[in-house]
Amino acid sequence: MSKLSEDNIEQAFIDQLIGQGYTYHYGPDIAPYSDNPQRESFSSVLLEQQLKKALQHLNPRRSRIC
């Protein structure tokens, strides 16, 4: 039996979300300094482009969001 650790809990949660159809991105792969930055800095708590895409998907009749 493995010890209960933060890493075990995090990995179990990630696996559960992937199983439900969510896409997982490893943090350094989407960090501000990466080849695929998803935020301007680590102080940005939202992935703004992802949020805007989701809002446009949920509200297709709105021609401009944000």
Side-chain angles (χ1 to χ4, degrees):
M1 179 181 238
S2 63
K3 288 176 90 176
L4 185 60
S5 68
E6 180 181 352
D7 184 57
N8 292 76
I9 295 168
E10 180 178 353
Q11 193 58 52
F13 188 58
I14 290 168
D15 292 342
Q16 184 178 14
L17 290 172
I18 291 171
Q20 294 176 8
Y22 287 88
T23 302
Y24 170 73
H25 297 284
Y26 181 57
D29 293 343
I30 61 170
Y33 54 78
S34 72
D35 292 334
N36 182 26
Q38 296 295 309
R39 61 180 84 197
E40 290 183 22
S41 71
F42 284 114
S43 63
S44 198
V45 295
L46 294 175
L47 301 179
E48 292 181 25
Q49 293 305 317
Q50 296 291 332
L51 177 61
K52 287 178 183 179
K53 284 181 191 176
L55 289 173
Q56 290 170 344
H57 176 75
L58 293 169
N59 299 289
R61 292 187 210 159
R62 301 266 327 241
S63 60
R64 181 176 133 93
I65 296 178
C66 304

